[in-house]
Amino acid sequence: MRGKRLFIAVFLIPGLLLYALFVVSPYAQAFQISGTDWSGLSPSYEFIGLENFRRLVGDGYFWNALRHNGLLLVLLPVATILLGLFFASMISVGGRADRVGVHGVRGAGFYRVVYFFPQVLSVAIIGVLWKEMYAPHTGMINGLLRGVGLDGLAVAWLGDPRFAFWCVLTVLIWMNVGFYVVLFSAAMQSIPRDLYEAALLDGATRLTTLVRITVPLVWDTIQVAWVYLAIVAIDGFAIVQIITDGGPSSSSDVVGLRLYKTAFADGQFGYASAIGVAMFFLTLTVAAMFLRVTRRDRVEL
């Protein structure tokens, strides 16, 4: 037993030390820096206590960014999970029933690859790609609208405060839904086909089958998806920074981007750390809340 514990410690302790050094330590330092007026470059700073947090309460730019994160928190998980469940259901059990039984649509393997494709692209590539697609004169979206005679709908998508946030939301849904299609498809493979065949014989529609059979049996996976997507919604920094940089007129700003600009553009690392601490507690609170709200009894087969 002693030899086994020593063997485990040899492989576990170095990894834990590296994690503590490069992950836990920066988090701890952020808490310390949030109580200072450090500019990020000067070695001198003063401790100012909770002054940064008092300033945060009255910061209109922060609350505007937080409002956008709140909208993402509501809309992104709902839209992504609904689309993921629909596509996964069609891939897994959406085909016509025959003598073999209930199965997915024809070409299901191809569709899985297509849906998952955005996951193999880096966030930078996705951001640049969609920014070019939204371009007012050379973008593909306006080009398609003009091509079908809808010139009046061709607008400067990223330059209009009415549309910039929704453009970013669309990109976030597009880049995430494929992963959850594959995740939900894998979860659905464990559901006995007999249940779907019995529902089909009873005259249940596909929507009823999805709501009454599929969703309860893959609820654990859906719960995990809620939490992951909530974290993505609270962050959202990279895509927003690449596509709109928070504009125009802060109409697509998010807390992560506000933190970045406060630190590296304004040189206020103390205040930026306070924003980071607020994000830390917000993420923990939202994750715990989502786990609590979506908790339900496990359905056993």
Side-chain angles (χ1 to χ4, degrees):
M1 181 60 71
R2 172 181 287 182
K4 183 178 180 180
R5 290 178 179 175
L6 179 61
F7 178 79
I8 294 175
V10 167
F11 285 94
L12 191 60
I13 290 177
L16 290 175
L17 290 176
L18 289 174
Y19 183 82
L21 177 63
F22 293 107
V23 178
V24 177
S25 175
Y27 273 110
Q29 291 178 50
F31 279 84
Q32 176 191 1
I33 296 171
S34 67
T36 71
D37 62 353
W38 187 42
S39 65
L41 296 176
S42 172
S44 61
Y45 58 84
E46 294 182 5
F47 283 98
I48 57 176
L50 299 177
E51 183 60 34
N52 285 327
F53 295 96
R54 284 193 285 267
R55 175 184 171 189
L56 196 64
V57 173
D59 189 344
Y61 287 105
F62 171 77
W63 288 107
N64 174 66
L66 186 60
R67 181 173 64 87
H68 292 144
N69 281 107
L71 286 173
L72 289 177
L73 191 60
V74 173
L75 299 174
L76 178 61
V78 172
T80 304
I81 289 175
L82 288 178
L83 288 172
L85 284 171
F86 172 74
F87 291 133
S89 179
M90 294 301 295
I91 288 174
S92 300
V93 294
R96 291 181 176 272
D98 51 26
R99 289 177 297 178
V100 179
V102 177
H103 52 78
V105 296
R106 184 176 301 174
F110 171 75
Y111 290 127
R112 284 193 182 93
V113 173
V114 171
Y115 291 139
F116 192 76
F117 180 72
Q119 299 299 313
V120 305
L121 301 177
S122 70
V123 175
I125 291 176
I126 291 175
V128 172
L129 174 67
W130 277 90
K131 186 174 183 178
E132 291 301 317
M133 289 175 63
Y134 281 129
H137 302 295
T138 60
M140 187 182 75
I141 295 175
N142 281 348
L144 289 174
L145 291 173
R146 295 189 183 99
V148 297
L150 299 175
D151 299 58
L153 298 179
V155 298
W157 299 100
L158 301 181
D160 193 324
R162 297 174 300 170
F163 303 122
F165 171 80
W166 303 103
C167 291
V168 170
L169 175 62
T170 300
V171 177
L172 286 170
I173 294 173
W174 179 84
M175 65 183 288
N176 284 288
V177 72
F179 174 79
Y180 294 99
V181 169
V182 175
L183 185 67
F184 294 150
S185 296
M188 291 177 189
Q189 297 304 312
S190 63
I191 301 176
R193 290 297 183 267
D194 295 346
L195 295 178
Y196 291 111
E197 293 169 5
L200 186 64
L201 291 174
D202 288 340
T205 62
R206 295 190 186 279
L207 179 59
T208 302
T209 302
L210 176 63
V211 174
R212 297 294 182 86
I213 296 178
T214 303
V215 170
L217 293 177
V218 300
W219 187 256
D220 288 347
T221 306
I222 294 175
Q223 186 184 43
V224 173
W226 274 108
V227 175
Y228 284 171
L229 287 167
I231 294 173
V232 172
I234 294 174
D235 179 20
F237 161 74
I239 284 295
V240 174
Q241 198 272 335
I242 295 170
I243 296 180
T244 65
D245 198 28
S249 302
S250 300
S251 60
S252 61
D253 199 9
V254 291
V255 176
L257 183 60
R258 178 56 34 199
L259 185 157
Y260 171 81
K261 288 185 175 181
T262 301
F264 295 100
D266 301 338
Q268 302 177 36
F269 272 72
Y271 185 50
S273 296
I275 297 176
V277 170
M279 281 188 66
F280 174 78
F281 285 111
L282 178 63
T283 303
L284 286 182
T285 302
V286 168
M289 181 186 68
F290 270 54
L291 287 173
R292 177 70 177 178
V293 170
T294 59
R295 187 174 63 182
R296 58 188 295 178
D297 294 334
R298 183 181 179 89
V299 177
E300 299 290 348
L301 295 175

